Amino acid sequence: MRRFATYVLLAVLVGVLGWEVNVAAAGFNYGDALDKSLMFFEAQRSGKLPLEQRVRWRGNSGLGDGFSQGVNLVGGYYDAGDHVKFGLPMAFSVTMLSWGAVDFRKEITGLDQMGHTLWAIKWGTDYFIKAHTQPNVLWGQVGDGDSDHYCWERAEDMTTPRTAYEIDPEHPGSDLAGETAAAMAAASLAFRPYNSSYSNLLLVHAKQLFSFADRFRGLYDDSIQCATQFYTSSGYSDELLWAAAWLYRATNDEYYLKYVVDNAVSMGGTGWAVREFSWDNKYAGVQILLSKVLMEGHGGAYTSTLKQYQAKASYFTCACLQKNNGYNVPLTPGGLVYVHEWNNMQYASSAAFLLAVYSEYLSAANAVMNCPDAQIQPPELLNFAKSQADYILGKNPQSMSYLVGYGTRYPVHVHHRGASIASKSVFRAVVGCVEGFETWYHRPQGNPNVIYGGLVGGPDKNDDFSDDRSNYEQTEPTLSGCAPLVGLFSKLQSTNGNSGSYPNESPVQVVPHQTKPSSYSQETQAPNTKSDVPVEFLHSISITWTIGSMTYYRHKVVIKNTSQKPITDLKLVVENLSGSLWGLSATQEKNTYKLPQWLKVLNPGSQCSFVYVQGGPQAKISVLSYH
């Protein structure tokens, strides 16, 4: 929201890896980042989980949602680190997933990720179909933020009230209904090449929801007042324009184009020059969508007004590129878009996605953009989008990946109930409401479950970040922050000229020491065998716990270079391993591992470590080869 069983001891690297050193390698694997982003949506699923669920530490939850109100609201997504299903940011997230699937279809398909992308979209739209029980009724929220925040428990153990809240003609919510209409229209486009009947069904709901939003006007948080503290809406005019723009794109019905033109002034579409695009403020998105219509030559009698929309699209884009005569989007010293103190990363990811899309539109039209300070070519927009993606993935003053599970250093104290408590398959006892805080929330150790692909709130305006579970402004991931990354990462990976599927990286965390590693030169001699190796292994057991009749041990192994020369290409054989291992990279050879990619060399006297969890005695560790 905008506002701990296995335990992992993470790898230790002696020496501070400076920012430049850390990112000077081959670049980022956007394909792997994309795969992890999609896994986040699986971790956030509410309802009965499918057999194909990849995030195995999650289980079924919320199976009675809506039943006390006489409606089936099982499914959908939990918003962030909590268990409330907030309709407005959920719908925006589905819109952004769908936009990526539509405009970057070729790129996502080339990465073998369209199936997972459509699945992520459908998990949301199936829920919206259930929630849209009548043409003018939409159930907009399940759960209450205040009571939910009173407890720290797994979704599978939920004891908090699951009250459902609706909007209807007497209790309107044009912003919520409008955004849900936009999500359904965008999703209908995403599904059109694959499932025309489902696409048509989504379009029926989209049209009805737009009519409901337009006819019965009002702010949704006036009707669902318990949402006010968490997702207060600043207005609904932008959502009405947003929904109409998506419906025009989905139907090519001039009625919707005329709507955005006739209401351009009164609803602020051509008046609002903005420097933010988010779950709450859609103006920049509307303006860029309508610029596409203009540049494709479909403006007709509406060309004059569409040019005004395009002028405001240019304002947003020029502001991001710092070319807007001083009226620019604020950036941190490290170059990150900085809009709000609370969960700022979502604004950076949305802005990056929007510029990547606009770069596509401008390129297709052989157009350039005239900013107050410079004439901008389309690749410059994509370069800015890449700068934000790279910052997210580790090219920043902290050398920290803010996408959980990606890279070598990422947050491990993520503010997320499910990730911070051992899963039901490992710790079967019910974790009570208060017990969750006492036993798991306040633990100094990292989370037992890695919530892959969660984009945390990120650093402050000075690029400073505190990996603390109680620091929810910076360590909580959200749906709306992660959704734009799917299209963005797919575009950047295709630009790199790479495609195909990408395996998950090992969940390794760099913990810096106080001294810098010494410089080294790599030798080109043949690999040494395991006799007379200058490596020492130090075994220890750092913690034990018992579940039923089984006792589990967390084993730590320190690898130390006892020679006077640097060691590279170290391969280890790990035998008698029955549990999970962290901190080494598996090879294609059985029981054989190597140091993680980021650790190219083990310098004289330096050390690193890995951990594994299993029942019974320690595994046998030996050296297979090294340079």
Side-chain angles (χ1 to χ4, degrees):
M1 198 179 299
R2 283 192 310 176
R3 297 267 216 243
F4 191 76
T6 59
Y7 304 90
V8 180
L9 183 65
L10 303 166
V12 177
L13 172 65
V14 176
V16 175
L17 299 180
W19 182 14
E20 295 81 2
V21 173
N22 193 47
V23 301
F28 294 105
N29 186 337
Y30 303 112
D32 183 61
L34 165 62
D35 187 62
K36 287 179 167 59
S37 299
L38 289 165
M39 288 183 68
F40 175 69
F41 283 87
E42 294 189 28
Q44 295 302 103
R45 286 172 171 164
S46 180
K48 184 173 176 58
L49 303 183
L51 294 176
E52 300 83 359
Q53 172 88 3
R54 292 183 293 173
V55 182
R56 294 296 183 177
W57 52 265
R58 279 298 324 281
N60 300 333
S61 63
L63 299 182
D65 283 359
F67 286 12
S68 61
Q69 283 82 29
V71 60
N72 180 3
L73 296 177
V74 175
Y77 289 108
Y78 299 122
D79 175 62
D82 49 48
H83 300 134
V84 183
K85 296 192 289 200
F86 288 103
L88 184 58
M90 191 195 307
F92 173 74
S93 301
V94 171
T95 308
M96 297 307 291
L97 284 171
S98 301
W99 196 351
V102 172
D103 278 4
F104 299 122
R105 176 175 289 121
K106 178 181 177 182
E107 290 83 354
I108 294 175
T109 301
L111 292 166
D112 301 323
Q113 292 288 4
M114 185 54 77
H116 286 130
T117 302
L118 293 177
W119 201 8
I121 295 168
K122 195 172 187 292
W123 199 268
T125 52
D126 283 352
Y127 172 76
F128 297 147
I129 290 172
K130 293 179 180 179
H132 187 211
T133 53
Q134 299 176 37
N136 295 333
V137 175
L138 177 66
W139 293 84
Q141 183 174 319
V142 180
D144 170 72
D146 288 329
S147 62
D148 182 88
H149 280 193
Y150 178 76
C151 290
W152 193 263
E153 54 191 358
R154 298 171 292 203
E156 297 80 9
D157 293 336
M158 266 194 294
T159 58
T160 51
R162 301 300 292 168
T163 308
Y165 304 87
E166 66 177 321
I167 56 173
D168 55 34
E170 289 73 39
H171 310 88
S174 300
D175 31 23
L176 174 57
E179 181 58 72
T180 310
M184 298 297 235
S188 74
L189 282 167
F191 276 97
R192 188 167 293 168
Y194 309 100
N195 189 333
S196 60
S197 62
Y198 189 67
S199 173
N200 291 336
L201 175 62
L202 294 175
L203 208 48
V204 169
H205 283 278
K207 292 177 180 179
Q208 290 180 354
L209 283 163
F210 174 72
S211 178
F212 170 40
D214 189 38
R215 183 180 176 189
F216 302 99
R217 297 189 182 183
L219 291 169
Y220 94 101
D221 51 318
D222 285 341
S223 300
I224 306 177
Q225 295 185 4
C226 59
T228 303
Q229 182 182 351
F230 306 99
Y231 287 101
T232 304
S233 176
S234 60
Y236 56 75
S237 293
D238 54 332
E239 277 86 10
L240 290 175
L241 295 173
W242 177 242
W246 274 111
L247 276 162
Y248 174 69
R249 185 167 180 182
T251 65
N252 205 32
D253 186 338
E254 189 177 338
Y255 169 82
Y256 297 106
L257 184 58
K258 187 175 186 298
Y259 183 95
V260 298
V261 169
D262 290 348
N263 294 282
V265 175
S266 64
M267 291 186 176
T270 56
W272 278 105
V274 298
R275 291 179 288 175
E276 168 190 327
F277 176 58
S278 68
W279 61 267
D280 180 46
N281 192 326
K282 317 296 170 25
Y283 281 116
V286 173
Q287 291 153 0
I288 284 177
L289 277 177
L290 295 178
S291 297
K292 181 179 189 293
V293 176
L294 177 67
M295 290 186 289
E296 289 178 341
H298 301 316
Y302 309 116
T303 296
S304 177
T305 302
L306 293 179
K307 285 184 177 179
Q308 295 176 52
Y309 273 107
Q310 187 181 36
K312 293 302 185 287
S314 296
Y315 181 97
F316 174 83
T317 310
C318 295
C320 287
L321 295 173
Q322 310 296 291
K323 304 293 184 183
N324 203 40
N325 195 28
Y327 295 96
N328 297 317
V329 174
L331 301 179
T332 68
L336 179 70
V337 165
Y338 194 82
V339 177
H340 289 292
E341 180 180 358
W342 202 315
N343 207 296
N344 176 71
M345 268 303 180
Q346 63 182 313
Y347 303 97
S349 67
S350 294
F353 174 87
L354 213 50
L355 264 68
V357 165
Y358 201 27
S359 174
E360 290 281 290
Y361 299 166
L362 290 167
S363 295
N366 294 315
V368 297
M369 192 175 66
N370 292 307
C371 293
D373 299 337
Q375 186 180 80
I376 304 298
Q377 300 291 332
E380 296 181 64
L381 278 68
L382 188 60
N383 286 340
F384 175 83
K386 182 178 183 297
S387 74
Q388 300 304 294
D390 289 355
Y391 189 108
I392 288 170
L393 297 181
K395 189 176 180 179
N396 56 66
Q398 297 291 330
S399 293
M400 167 79 78
S401 166
Y402 294 106
L403 191 75
V404 180
Y406 179 89
T408 61
R409 185 170 188 251
Y410 53 82
V412 296
H413 300 88
V414 182
H415 185 90
H416 189 281
R417 287 157 174 75
S420 69
I421 303 174
S423 71
K424 296 285 286 188
S425 63
V426 174
F427 187 73
R428 299 184 183 277
V430 172
V431 176
C433 179
V434 177
E435 180 191 357
F437 280 109
E438 294 176 344
T439 305
W440 299 96
Y441 181 79
H442 296 294
R443 286 185 60 83
Q445 290 90 344
N447 292 348
N449 305 312
V450 179
I451 184 160
Y452 285 103
L455 179 66
V456 298
D460 62 17
K461 64 181 180 181
N462 298 314
D463 299 299
D464 293 328
F465 178 80
S466 174
D467 184 10
D468 187 327
R469 198 173 293 112
S470 64
N471 180 18
Y472 44 82
E473 296 95 336
Q474 293 190 331
T475 63
E476 188 171 19
T478 62
L479 291 176
S480 52
C482 193
L485 297 178
V486 172
L488 176 63
F489 288 150
S490 66
K491 174 59 180 176
L492 293 176
Q493 186 65 29
S494 70
T495 302
N496 282 353
N498 298 318
S499 62
S501 59
Y502 296 88
N504 294 333
E505 295 175 352
S506 299
V508 181
Q509 170 84 11
V510 176
V511 182
H513 196 266
Q514 295 301 312
T515 58
K516 291 187 176 181
S518 58
S519 60
Y520 66 94
S521 59
Q522 185 170 334
E523 299 181 32
T524 58
Q525 64 205 52
N528 291 293
T529 61
K530 54 187 176 183
S531 60
D532 194 30
V533 295
V535 173
E536 180 180 66
F537 300 110
L538 303 175
H539 296 256
S540 63
I541 296 176
S542 53
I543 196 170
T544 67
W545 66 97
T546 301
I547 300 176
S549 60
M550 177 65 73
T551 300
Y552 293 90
Y553 303 86
R554 183 180 65 179
H555 299 264
K556 174 184 176 182
V557 181
V558 176
I559 309 169
K560 183 177 181 179
N561 182 355
T562 58
S563 73
Q564 301 301 312
K565 295 182 179 180
I567 297 174
T568 61
D569 299 326
L570 179 63
K571 286 187 176 182
L572 305 178
V573 176
V574 182
E575 300 173 277
N576 305 326
L577 179 67
S578 62
S580 299
L581 181 148
W582 292 268
L584 297 176
S585 297
T587 69
Q588 294 183 347
E589 302 171 65
K590 183 179 179 180
N591 301 331
T592 303
Y593 297 82
K594 60 183 179 180
L595 298 184
Q597 291 183 350
W598 53 266
L599 187 53
K600 302 295 184 183
V601 60
L602 196 61
N603 285 306
S606 67
Q607 63 187 35
C608 65
S609 66
F610 66 93
V611 300
Y612 59 92
V613 174
Q614 65 183 21
Q618 68 184 34
K620 179 182 178 182
I621 316 296
S622 58
V623 174
L624 178 65
S625 62
Y626 69 97
H627 277 113

